[in-house]
């Protein structure tokens, strides 16, 4: 079965600090990888996704993530966070073949202090 | 931008009562999903639906749960006899094809069972 681990439960940063949120997955086959963001009171929004090709993926709002196959990781990064990045961030994975459902990590709450 | 619409945004129900959560997926999407998020926990897959039948379901989706597409636009989740532990945020999602890449999530329905 697939599983996703996000080791940082709550991260607090000052504006302009750099961000890296960890995500590791467990699955024996080929996967698609995603990062979603959930702003307070809002729905899940897709930040970026990886299917194949360049392992460094750029998403919206200046976020990027790097797929490192050997480490089963897909860490999310942003060089300089803003107060508006305060949100919950979820890493998710689904199998490239077979069932279509997403497996989510437990999420990381990011608080950016102005 | 097309949206997935969920109603109501918040529902309070007494234990043992039946609830129906409603979703209007994006009109040209063919695959529909329900996920839930218990407070403080990860987002969990419940069920996927395609061509008027369930295509995948998780262990959570037991006999108390059912889904239906009663007309061409709505997609409903029914919980037959609610339990306290059903309290959660329920997210509907839809996708155009069998690939999570196309997922669009709704804003969720917060179900509180008292």
């Amino acid at each position: 079965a697939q599983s996703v681990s996000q080791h940082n439960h709550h991260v607090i940063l000052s504006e302009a600090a750099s961000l890296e949120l960890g995500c590791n997955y467990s699955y024996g086959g080929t996967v698609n990888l995603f990062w979603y963001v959930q702003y307070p009171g809002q729905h899940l929004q897709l930040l970026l996704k990886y299917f194949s090709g360049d392992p460094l993926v750029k998403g919206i709002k200046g976020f990027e993530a790097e797929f490192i196959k050997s480490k089963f990781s897909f860490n999310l990064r942003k060089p300089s966070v803003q107060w508006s990045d305060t949100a919950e961030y979820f890493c998710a994975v689904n199998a490239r073949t077979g069932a279509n459902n997403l497996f989510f990590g437990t999420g990381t709450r990011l608080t950016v202090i102005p | 931008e097309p949206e997935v619409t969920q109603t109501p945004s918040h529902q309070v129900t007494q234990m043992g009562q039946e609830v129906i959560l409603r979703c209007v997926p994006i009109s040209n999407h063919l695959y529909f999903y329900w996920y839930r998020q218990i407070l403080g926990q990860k987002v969990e897959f419940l069920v996927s639906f395609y061509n008027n039948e369930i295509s995948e379901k998780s262990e959570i989706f037991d006999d108390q749960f059912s889904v239906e597409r009663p007309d061409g636009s709505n997609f409903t989740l029914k919980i037959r006899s609610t339990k306290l532990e059903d309290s959660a945020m329920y997210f509907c999602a839809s996708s155009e094809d069998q690939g999570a890449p196309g997922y669009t999530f709704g804003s969720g329905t917060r179900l509180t069972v008292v």
Side-chain angles (χ1 to χ4, degrees):
Chain A
Q2 299 158 53
S3 67
V4 179
S5 298
Q6 291 181 247
H7 306 294
N8 313 105
H9 296 295
H10 190 188
V11 173
I12 303 173
L13 295 173
S14 297
E15 272 194 325
S18 65
L19 170 72
E20 180 159 2
L21 302 182
C23 173
N24 289 90
Y25 69 93
S26 170
Y27 182 64
T30 307
V31 295
N32 299 316
L33 296 154
F34 308 84
W35 275 97
Y36 284 86
V37 61
Q38 187 178 25
Y39 297 103
Q42 296 190 28
H43 59 93
L44 292 162
Q45 298 176 39
L46 182 65
L47 268 182
L48 47 79
K49 59 196 178 199
Y50 171 80
F51 305 144
S52 62
D54 189 345
L56 184 61
V57 179
K58 294 196 184 299
I60 62 172
K61 306 186 184 208
F63 287 91
E64 65 178 32
E66 185 175 12
F67 171 51
I68 303 179
K69 189 174 181 180
S70 60
K71 295 184 179 180
F72 296 89
S73 69
F74 190 57
N75 292 355
L76 180 71
R77 298 195 293 249
K78 186 171 183 177
S80 177
V81 295
Q82 301 171 307
W83 175 78
S84 57
D85 292 325
T86 295
E88 189 96 16
Y89 292 81
F90 294 92
C91 182
V93 61
N94 87 314
R96 190 73 62 81
T97 58
N100 195 30
N101 46 293
L102 287 169
F103 289 86
F104 284 85
T106 50
T108 298
R109 190 193 317 169
L110 172 65
T111 301
V112 180
I113 301 170
Chain B
E1 188 174 325
E3 290 184 345
V4 173
T5 306
Q6 289 187 245
T7 55
S9 57
H10 189 190
Q11 179 150 1
V12 181
T13 188
Q14 286 197 322
M15 191 169 56
Q17 295 296 305
E18 174 184 285
V19 293
I20 298 176
L21 309 183
R22 290 183 167 78
C23 170
V24 178
I26 294 173
S27 60
N28 65 334
H29 284 187
L30 302 176
Y31 294 82
F32 314 112
Y33 315 87
W34 283 101
Y35 286 78
R36 80 171 184 191
Q37 184 182 23
I38 294 172
L39 188 63
Q41 299 185 25
K42 67 174 71 176
V43 178
E44 300 172 293
F45 168 74
L46 292 178
V47 65
S48 60
F49 191 86
Y50 170 70
N51 200 24
N52 284 321
E53 61 182 25
I54 291 172
S55 49
E56 297 286 340
K57 62 181 181 179
S58 71
E59 293 174 351
I60 303 167
F61 195 86
D62 61 21
D63 292 344
Q64 292 297 315
F65 291 89
S66 62
V67 289
E68 193 179 26
R69 190 155 161 80
D71 52 42
S73 59
N74 289 285
F75 178 52
T76 61
L77 174 69
K78 182 192 291 186
I79 308 175
R80 199 159 293 123
S81 176
T82 50
K83 303 187 284 286
L84 294 176
E85 52 266 37
D86 293 327
S87 294
M89 182 74 92
Y90 288 81
F91 293 102
C92 175
S94 67
S95 66
E96 190 173 357
D97 54 22
Q98 191 176 4
Y103 262 64
T104 301
F105 281 90
S107 55
T109 293
R110 181 174 299 284
L111 176 65
T112 303
V113 182
V114 296

